[in-house]
Amino acid sequence: MSANSFLERLLDGAAVEWVPIGEVSEIYGGLTGKSKADFQEGNAKYVSYKNIFNNIEVDTAILELVKVEDNERQHKVQYGDVLFTGSSEIADEAGMSSAVTCVLDEPVYLNSFSFGLRFNDGITLKPEFAKYLFRTHYLRTAIANTASGVTRFNVSKAQFKKILIPIPCPNDPARSLKIQAEIVRILDTFTELTAELTARAQQFEYYREELLSFEERDVEWKTLGDLTVINTGSKPSEILDSATSFEYINAGTTRSGYTLAANCDGDTVTTPSRGQGGIGYVGYQREPFWLGPLCYKLQSVDHNVLTNKYLFYFLQSRSKLLLGLKKEGGVPAVNKSDLVKLAMPVPGIEVQHRIVFILDKLDTLTNSISEGLPREIELRQQQYEYYRDLLLQFPRHNAQGTIGKAQGAMPNEQ
């Protein structure tokens, strides 16, 4: 059954009323009169801007602290509220929402750069439903359109209050809650699956860190200058857009094109030497490729001492070390003179083979674009967003008939 027909069956002829936000709720502001010092030694919890931005429902495990005196008149957050970020550097990211879906057992306040929405008595919109509703494409677009600015975009409260939201079965609260609960059940299933897949991807990073953590006394530590040959490449005579025999690897985190020849063997570790966004990224080239002038190649000088694949996994797990070598200026860069001094643990060659074998297996499950978890997570996220927008795009009626149906093809089910 399609999502559209499912929604029609779920509504079963029930009315859906579209009403301006300002007519069914009150809007309150965040903390006022706070200095920087108040956030350094706090005695009360508050919901941060980042908490709202990153979560469709407030994460009460990461509430932050602020100093609030007993006699202060500050708005308190409560179950059922929907919180919004008040501004952003990008208009499309202004007014991100997060619903309060649990009862708070102590006073909790709201960041001063945010605002809260509290539905009036008698308005039957569950926060578990609202957390999805306000993240739909059509409401996100409407909210973003209320923001204006130059270097920072602020949501206009006056315009925000005019945005229409749907209330299913407004005259039958029990039926309304039943409809909302069924939609929430479906969307929760999607989000739980995506969360499970994401957790599995994070497990790879955890096991990689565990396998590559050594006590100094247990292994020999050597510098990259002692262990590897480090060089940059050159610009090829021709760079092609379409796939040919060899990839062109230069600054950045993806290939820079293709070439008809190679200047480097496979089984090579690469990392950008210069560039705005690539410093710290570590790649592994299995096949021969063309190495560009803005990228280092690192190859072991003795495969009985160090394998290139072990070197790759170690540097990948220690990208912050490479970022720490970055020199700022016109163009950020990592100097070879600094790179050769970077020290790394070198266990016995059999231990390296065992670590590489385990991480290769985990990498196939988590980082393979074609068959691994990132692709699966991307597909599930697309499907979740598709069904969310369909299930929450309730019909509207005007003189021409029903309007407001969600459009678009369903993402790939694979």
Side-chain angles (χ1 to χ4, degrees):
M1 183 185 298
S2 71
N4 271 330
S5 60
F6 173 83
L7 182 57
E8 290 171 358
R9 181 175 176 178
L10 185 62
L11 289 173
D12 192 24
V16 176
E17 185 176 354
W18 288 77
V19 295
I21 289 176
E23 291 185 8
V24 294
S25 67
E26 294 183 2
I27 294 176
Y28 62 88
L31 291 161
T32 59
K34 293 299 166 188
S35 66
K36 185 176 181 180
D38 290 324
F39 293 93
Q40 295 174 345
E41 296 183 3
N43 62 345
K45 294 180 179 179
Y46 76 97
V47 183
S48 68
Y49 180 103
K50 186 180 294 186
N51 196 332
I52 299 171
F53 189 92
N54 291 336
N55 304 293
I56 64 172
E57 55 188 327
V58 173
D59 186 346
T60 56
I62 57 172
L63 297 177
E64 299 186 20
L65 295 176
V66 61
K67 186 176 181 180
V68 178
E69 302 291 350
D70 292 338
N71 60 352
E72 289 188 43
R73 296 175 61 86
Q74 303 282 3
H75 293 289
K76 297 175 184 177
V77 172
Q78 67 182 39
Y79 170 76
D81 292 355
V82 184
L83 311 181
F84 295 84
T85 58
S87 64
S88 176
E89 294 178 355
I90 303 172
D92 287 346
E93 294 183 353
M96 296 297 285
S97 62
S98 184
V100 183
T101 57
C102 64
V103 177
L104 304 169
D105 56 6
E106 60 183 314
V108 174
Y109 302 92
L110 179 60
N111 179 273
S112 54
F113 298 103
S114 309
F115 63 93
L117 178 156
R118 182 169 297 161
F119 291 108
N120 299 338
D121 292 341
I123 301 301
T124 311
L125 276 182
K126 298 288 287 182
E128 294 81 4
F129 176 80
K131 73 181 182 184
Y132 291 120
L133 178 65
F134 283 98
R135 290 277 182 144
T136 55
H137 176 72
Y138 68 90
L139 273 184
R140 280 295 315 133
T141 300
I143 294 171
N145 286 340
T146 71
S148 61
V150 180
T151 59
R152 193 163 188 87
F153 294 84
N154 299 288
V155 173
S156 164
K157 305 297 193 308
Q159 294 300 314
F160 179 85
K161 292 178 181 179
K162 296 178 182 179
I163 294 174
L164 300 178
I165 60 172
I167 301 179
C169 300
N171 299 320
D172 188 344
R175 189 176 181 187
S176 179
L177 291 175
K178 183 178 179 180
I179 292 170
Q180 293 177 49
E182 182 60 13
I183 292 173
V184 168
R185 183 190 66 80
I186 295 170
L187 296 179
D188 277 350
T189 300
F190 276 106
T191 55
E192 287 167 7
L193 176 58
T194 303
E196 179 183 344
L197 293 172
T198 302
R200 271 196 261 164
Q202 292 171 342
Q203 285 178 346
F204 169 76
E205 296 183 8
Y206 171 80
Y207 285 120
R208 184 185 63 190
E209 294 302 312
E210 287 293 303
L211 287 168
L212 295 171
S213 296
F214 303 95
E215 296 290 340
E216 288 202 27
R217 65 178 180 272
D218 294 338
V219 294
E220 188 175 4
W221 287 70
K222 293 185 177 181
T223 65
L224 294 183
D226 293 329
L227 294 166
T228 66
V229 174
I230 303 175
N231 289 309
T232 55
S234 59
K235 187 174 181 179
S237 58
E238 185 178 13
I239 302 173
L240 305 174
D241 293 329
S242 58
T244 57
S245 298
F246 305 101
E247 293 188 344
Y248 175 43
I249 307 298
N250 205 22
T253 59
T254 59
R255 76 175 73 89
S256 298
Y258 298 90
T259 62
L260 296 173
N263 65 358
C264 258
D265 295 330
D267 186 30
T268 297
V269 181
T270 56
T271 187
S273 62
R274 295 168 64 83
Q276 292 291 343
I279 299 298
Y281 175 78
V282 181
Y284 177 76
Q285 314 308 324
R286 293 177 175 81
E287 304 295 332
F289 66 101
W290 189 281
L291 177 72
L294 304 179
C295 191
Y296 289 119
K297 71 172 179 67
L298 297 90
Q299 293 177 313
S300 171
V301 297
D302 187 345
H303 292 282
N304 293 317
V305 175
L306 175 70
T307 69
N308 289 322
K309 198 61 178 294
Y310 171 80
L311 170 65
F312 160 69
Y313 279 127
F314 175 78
L315 290 179
Q316 185 189 55
S317 70
R318 302 296 190 273
S319 60
K320 289 183 179 179
L321 293 177
L322 295 173
L323 285 171
L325 301 178
K326 183 171 66 174
K327 305 295 184 186
E328 299 290 354
V331 178
V334 171
N335 295 331
K336 181 178 177 180
S337 58
D338 294 322
L339 188 59
V340 296
K341 297 175 185 176
L342 193 65
M344 66 174 291
V346 187
I349 201 69
E350 291 302 322
V351 174
Q352 292 181 43
H353 285 313
R354 179 177 61 83
I355 291 172
V356 168
F357 175 80
I358 295 171
L359 292 179
D360 275 350
K361 293 293 185 183
L362 291 172
D363 181 68
T364 299
L365 291 173
T366 58
N367 294 330
S368 168
I369 296 299
S370 60
E371 58 183 308
L373 284 176
R375 176 60 176 160
E376 184 73 9
I377 291 171
E378 180 184 4
L379 287 172
R380 297 305 160 226
Q381 181 66 21
Q382 289 174 354
Q383 289 174 354
Y384 153 68
E385 292 177 1
Y386 173 82
Y387 282 111
R388 178 200 63 197
D389 287 352
L390 274 180
L391 290 171
L392 293 170
Q393 184 71 26
F394 292 98
R396 307 189 200 190
H397 296 276
N398 62 11
Q400 286 72 43
T402 301
I403 62 173
K405 290 288 188 182
Q407 303 295 319
M410 183 178 67
N412 196 328
E413 288 284 1
Q414 58 183 302

